[in-house]
Amino acid sequence: MRTELAVVGAGPAGLAASLAAAARGVHVTLIDAAEDAGGQFYRQPAAGLGARRPRALHHQWRTWERLRDGLAASSTVRHLTGHHVWCVERNSASSGASGRSERSAAFGVHALLGRFQDEPVTVHADAVLLATGGYEKVLPFPGWTLPGVVTAGGAQAMLKGGLVVPGRTAVVAGTGPLLLPVATGLAAAGVQVAALVESADPKGLVRRLPALAAKLPEAAGYASRLLRHRVPFMAGHTVVEAHGEDRLEAVTVAALDPAGRVRPGTGRRIPCDTLAVGHGMLPHTDLAETLGCRVDGVNVQVDDEQRTDVPGVWAAGETTGIGGAALALAEGHIAGRSIAARLQGTAPDPREWAAAASSRTRLRQFFAAVDSVCAPPAHWTEQVTDDTVVCRCEEVRAGTVREAVHGLGAGDLRTVKLLTRAGMGWCQGRVCGPAVAGLAGCDLTPTRRPFARPVPLGVLARTDHPAEADHTTEEGPS
Amino acid sequence: MNTRLTCDVVVIGAGMTGAACALYAARAGLDVTVVDRGPVAGGTTGAGEGNLLVSDKEPGAELELALLSNRLWAELAEETGERAETGRMIEYEAKGGLVVASSEQGLAALTDLAAGQRLAGVVAEQVPADRLRDLEPHLAPGLAGGVYYPQDSQVMPALAAAHLLRVSGARLLTGRTVTEVLRTADGSVRGIRTGHGDIHAPAVVNAAGTWGGEVAALAGVSLPVLPRRGFVLVTEPLPRRVRHKVYSADYVADVASDSASLQTSPVVEGTAAGPILIGASRERVGFDRSFSLPVVRALAEGAVRLFPFLSEVRALRTYAGFRPYMPDHLPAIGPDPRVPGLFHACGHEGAGIGLATGTGHLIAQALGGKAPETDLAPFRPDRFEEEAA
């Protein structure tokens, strides 16, 4: 009734780790909420759509084929689809990952499945790899809740997963490396991209050129595509407002000064029916937090083997720090090899993964450079009017948050939440956390979310939680 | 930046009790400064349900304090602040409590308790089994009966603390850790030292809740306040389906228990904002914040047993808090005879929100040198010293 390794997340990191561990004899259960492997990066068109050339929407298609085929061919990786993990529980009696004994498993991975996510399943495992990925950060501005405003990643998911485009005329805005593929992807799909608005200072981009050079060929590719589709690139600019009655009709874009303030009088109105906006990514750390793993800032802390400070728990990919698919693959590969060795009671030899380690180093440096350049405007909160909704779940406005800080003595995210309800709704502050932190002038600290997703009380109350059958004896969906 | 302040009284702790002490002291004409190492409501206040209960208390000093507090809460709720009624700002709701018994035996014990409470001034109405669903239509079938307590009420505790602090007009200094209680040569209090400077005052109120023992130690006295952990489960927002605070008769026994091991008894209530809150667990495990799935499972199981419809309802979040527990389950309220000028207002266990107003009121009377309205003898801060001796 158990597996040796439970991998949570079937994106690049989880797939790479599963295959690396399985190749060394480890029985792996790969658990993911989606119906197909791939995660966000290798999101595939739904089978029913009959896509002829899905690769047109993807980079590194060959890598994906290798992972996909590896997963299909593996007899020791069991892939559980449609499993929404809500908690990883550490069984107190055992310390984990110290051998294939007959002891009780060290971890219980609790998931929900079914159309209504109300059927409980528990996978018992000796070791756990958290490859839970990241999610998009979006900061509020007046008009951001209008229909027609989507996240950059959301626009990309519509392209990759639904083969649909969100509108006819789009502005892509915000900051970070995701904006380029979104703009070129939309343009290639026939959307008129009226502007690509990046808040990063163009001088900063140039200053960081040496570090960014590693990715220059890729960037050059995007640049030529932007050129080909005649997409105007506006660096050092930001969207200050989205306009429209019932849905988006236009945005106002303005220039930023070097301090990150909007330059008065530079506003320009651009008509569009779609605004794809994103301000970078944040790691999913809920499961790690609840397990007690050390989280530094917003990233799960790992050592050179991708181990967290909780014995038996590894982490790889965006959850340890945003760095894209290539970094996730490297980290996943290293984690898989480390886990295989540790489960067999031996210390791994890092020389075996020297290539992955060196690309990990290079990519982390690259994304540190990206991070230092691609930041939201320093004074973005000045554009947020008091009546701008900040927490969409609970409909809390910026003015209410400001009042809690300046009038009621709130000083951190938790107190703002208690006094305003910002972050108490369905998303539990995942969306509004960065915005509330910015408005409150405090750090974005990870919120404790023992339930990584909502759990029916009836599931919690059940004492006879069904366990996944032993994957060495059972095949197919349960 | 270092600051030096002088005032009449320093309240340590910007939680519910500190806020109430500040409010009543300021209304008595004193110049009050409230300091806290964290933000407002950063400790147990921010982790509780906001119960203002008379139903769960046996006749005695605590029940008397609860009845006084209950009256004061109702008065405060009717006041009108700058913008709206205080009651609305703090989500005050006089919704009443319903205690249910699942067995005849439990019902007999509950009926006895209610009889004693009535003599002490509590309104307690016996509810036969076939009338329970008039009060709570979604209750499980098969319960033996219950008692309805119309005086039981609720506030949103963090809002209550923040708004009472604002209404008090007291100076609020958050993010300041008290490092020392300053004393004169004869040993009496002359203020406090913080990382941001000294604050001089002839009186200091220890309203540090679960951390009240640490503050007492800074003044050189012992006060045995211990943490008793509890988890609360919060559901998705729903239209009102649970009208009262509903709990099982076992709860009273759990509250009074001295055991360190886990006890859970279902406590279920709807809130003005929509989510249903589910308690209550009690464990003495120190300040361990780590999540315990078994405890939360037990809470869910108890809640579903009382209200079967909850089985389909989703829990969105859960959090733990630390009740300030004292060995005899009574708070420490009043002047500390061991250190002139030091007052305690902490150790209310799980009843701190409810008892805050009465506590603040009595502390203000003591600060003003008046005879307190209620006998403070059962709450004497030095009562454990004698036992030890």
Side-chain angles (χ1 to χ4, degrees):
Chain A
M1 309 290 279
R2 58 194 270 180
T3 186
E4 287 176 301
L5 168 64
V7 175
V8 184
L15 282 169
S18 296
L19 296 179
R24 284 152 191 85
V26 177
H27 288 288
V28 182
T29 301
L30 174 61
I31 309 164
D32 194 271
E35 289 308 319
D36 296 295
Q40 299 296 335
F41 189 79
Y42 294 119
R43 182 189 286 273
Q44 299 304 312
L49 294 173
R52 289 214 194 112
R53 278 187 73 243
R55 63 182 304 165
L57 298 163
H58 285 277
H59 284 284
Q60 301 165 7
W61 184 255
R62 258 187 228 127
T63 312
W64 161 243
E65 284 178 327
R66 188 171 54 74
L67 293 170
R68 181 194 61 192
D69 298 344
L71 180 64
S74 173
S75 59
T76 43
V77 180
R78 184 180 191 193
H79 180 200
L80 301 178
T81 61
H83 282 59
H84 302 257
V85 175
W86 57 271
C87 186
V88 179
E89 185 181 16
R90 190 176 169 194
N91 297 328
S92 46
S94 178
S95 61
S98 52
R100 302 174 193 227
S101 71
E102 297 302 312
R103 294 174 292 103
S104 65
F107 302 95
V109 180
H110 302 290
L112 297 166
L113 67 161
R115 195 170 142 218
F116 300 104
Q117 291 181 40
D118 53 3
E119 295 167 42
V121 167
T122 300
V123 175
H124 297 282
D126 299 322
V128 173
L129 170 71
L130 302 173
T132 45
Y135 64 103
E136 245 183 325
K137 177 164 100 176
V138 180
L139 300 172
F141 49 88
W144 77 300
T145 55
L146 277 171
V149 181
V150 297
T151 65
Q156 198 180 39
M158 285 164 88
L159 272 177
K160 285 184 183 175
L163 303 175
V164 290
V165 293
R168 290 162 172 275
T169 309
V171 169
V172 178
T175 189
L178 180 61
L179 301 184
L180 284 167
V182 171
T184 53
L186 287 172
V191 177
Q192 192 211 331
V193 179
L196 170 54
V197 183
E198 163 64 62
S199 64
D201 176 11
K203 283 185 198 136
L205 288 170
V206 172
R207 258 201 312 275
R208 287 288 178 170
L209 219 49
L212 301 174
K215 281 261 192 174
L216 269 183
E218 202 178 317
Y222 284 124
S224 76
R225 259 170 280 167
L226 285 176
L227 218 59
R228 185 169 0 120
H229 293 291
R230 295 174 203 282
V231 176
F233 181 56
M234 302 167 76
H237 280 67
T238 189
V239 169
V240 292
E241 190 172 354
H243 311 278
E245 285 296 320
D246 304 320
R247 59 162 297 119
L248 183 69
E249 289 161 14
V251 295
T252 295
V253 173
L256 293 159
D257 70 14
R261 281 202 165 83
V262 167
R263 283 185 203 274
T266 59
R268 194 188 330 162
R269 200 179 159 103
I270 304 177
C272 58
D273 61 11
T274 301
L275 170 63
V277 63
H279 297 101
M281 305 263 296
L282 286 168
H284 269 302
T285 55
D286 299 344
L287 299 175
E289 279 274 334
T290 304
L291 277 165
C293 302
R294 194 157 74 85
V295 176
D296 200 1
V298 293
N299 305 326
V300 177
Q301 288 303 292
V302 289
D303 66 7
D304 287 346
E305 289 180 38
Q306 301 294 133
R307 288 183 297 181
T308 71
D309 62 339
V310 173
V313 181
W314 280 253
E318 308 285 42
T319 190
T320 68
I322 300 303
L327 178 56
L329 287 168
E331 292 189 355
H333 181 78
I334 293 167
R337 297 184 82 129
S338 160
I339 293 165
R342 297 281 170 192
L343 279 174
Q344 282 146 13
T346 59
D349 180 359
R351 285 172 301 188
E352 287 175 15
W353 61 63
S358 86
S359 62
R360 179 176 65 182
T361 306
R362 190 169 42 79
L363 288 162
R364 280 182 183 165
Q365 278 166 358
F366 168 72
F367 277 92
V370 167
D371 246 15
S372 67
V373 178
C374 294
H379 296 279
W380 65 269
T381 57
E382 290 175 6
Q383 303 303 317
V384 182
T385 51
D386 276 350
D387 64 349
T388 303
V389 168
V390 174
C391 165
R392 299 174 79 155
C393 301
E394 294 285 329
E395 291 176 27
V396 181
R397 294 173 194 275
T400 310
V401 172
R402 289 179 171 132
E403 166 64 11
V405 174
H406 303 297
L408 291 175
D412 60 350
L413 277 181
R414 176 174 177 266
T415 322
V416 172
K417 176 172 83 173
L418 287 170
L419 297 179
T420 68
R421 305 195 60 77
M424 274 196 193
W426 276 100
C427 90
Q428 289 291 292
R430 289 177 181 88
V431 176
C432 67
V436 173
L439 287 166
C442 63
D443 289 335
L444 176 64
T445 44
T447 313
R448 282 170 162 265
R449 299 185 189 103
F451 303 141
R453 55 183 56 243
V455 196
L457 288 167
V459 167
L460 275 178
R462 272 173 79 162
T463 40
D464 59 324
H465 358 157
E468 261 296 326
D470 190 329
H471 84 296
T472 55
T473 58
E474 194 190 311
E475 291 298 325
S478 49
Chain B
M1 191 178 64
N2 272 13
T3 50
R4 179 176 290 224
L5 280 167
T6 302
C7 57
D8 296 328
V9 52
V10 173
V11 176
I12 303 174
M16 189 66 251
T17 305
C21 289
L23 178 75
Y24 291 102
R27 287 187 174 179
L30 298 171
D31 180 11
V32 184
T33 301
V34 179
V35 293
D36 198 294
R37 63 180 172 188
V40 163
T44 308
T45 297
E49 296 155 290
N51 291 323
L52 319 179
L53 301 186
V54 295
S55 58
D56 66 338
K57 294 172 182 70
E58 289 172 15
E62 195 191 11
L63 181 56
E64 255 181 76
L65 181 61
L67 284 162
L68 167 67
S69 299
N70 209 266
R71 279 199 302 280
L72 293 170
W73 273 115
E75 282 171 29
L76 280 180
E78 277 174 21
E79 289 179 9
T80 306
E82 294 160 41
R83 271 155 252 191
E85 273 170 27
T86 303
R88 233 183 60 208
M89 305 289 277
I90 65 176
E91 297 180 9
Y92 174 83
E93 217 185 337
K95 60 175 161 188
L98 178 64
V99 186
V100 296
S102 49
S103 67
E104 289 304 325
Q105 213 178 347
L107 184 60
L110 176 62
T111 305
D112 278 355
L113 173 69
Q117 289 169 323
R118 260 182 228 114
L119 292 177
V122 172
V123 182
E125 299 163 9
Q126 199 76 23
V127 185
D130 60 347
R131 305 305 302 273
L132 282 173
R133 292 213 200 177
D134 295 350
L135 287 168
E136 285 294 343
H138 300 285
L139 261 182
L143 293 163
V147 175
Y148 174 58
Y149 294 88
Q151 289 157 310
D152 281 357
S153 309
Q154 190 175 28
V155 292
M156 198 300 189
L159 284 174
H163 282 285
L164 294 201
L165 275 170
R166 174 147 78 171
V167 168
S168 77
R171 199 176 294 103
L172 172 64
L173 303 174
T174 53
R176 301 192 186 199
T177 304
V178 177
T179 55
E180 211 179 321
V181 172
L182 305 171
R183 297 164 72 178
T184 58
D186 70 357
S188 49
V189 161
R190 63 178 182 89
I192 59 160
R193 178 154 292 165
T194 76
H196 294 72
D198 293 354
I199 304 172
H200 291 286
V204 168
V205 178
N206 171 16
T210 314
W211 299 268
E214 293 171 33
V215 170
L218 291 178
V221 293
S222 81
L223 192 71
V225 188
L226 296 166
R228 199 176 186 191
R229 187 171 77 174
F231 280 94
V232 175
L233 261 173
V234 186
T235 73
E236 61 188 292
L238 295 174
R240 202 72 183 243
R241 289 219 241 168
V242 179
R243 300 176 185 172
H244 307 88
K245 180 185 182 77
V246 181
Y247 64 92
S248 146
D250 307 333
Y251 177 74
V252 181
D254 277 1
V255 171
S257 161
D258 290 323
S259 166
S261 61
L262 171 69
Q263 297 125 41
T264 57
S265 48
V267 179
V268 181
E269 61 197 307
T271 61
I276 290 174
L277 305 183
I278 297 166
S281 68
R282 310 182 113 75
E283 306 164 86
R284 294 218 312 271
V285 289
F287 286 103
D288 180 0
R289 275 199 185 278
S290 53
F291 175 59
S292 167
L293 194 52
V295 173
V296 169
R297 285 192 187 282
L299 291 181
E301 206 229 313
V304 170
R305 226 186 310 125
L306 275 186
F307 289 98
F309 83 89
L310 285 175
S311 177
E312 312 290 314
V313 172
R314 283 173 197 263
L316 287 193
R317 59 201 171 95
T318 178
Y319 52 85
F322 300 103
R323 303 176 184 89
Y325 155 89
M326 297 193 70
D328 59 0
H329 304 283
L330 290 177
I333 303 172
D336 192 322
R338 300 166 293 184
V339 182
L342 178 66
F343 296 75
H344 298 283
C346 57
H348 296 77
E349 201 168 331
I353 307 302
L355 300 179
T357 47
T359 302
H361 179 73
L362 296 171
I363 286 286
Q365 287 175 334
L367 285 167
K370 291 184 197 151
E373 201 171 312
T374 304
D375 180 17
L376 291 180
F379 308 125
R380 274 176 43 226
D382 59 335
R383 62 188 188 271
F384 300 101
E385 202 136 285
E386 290 161 19
E387 280 170 26

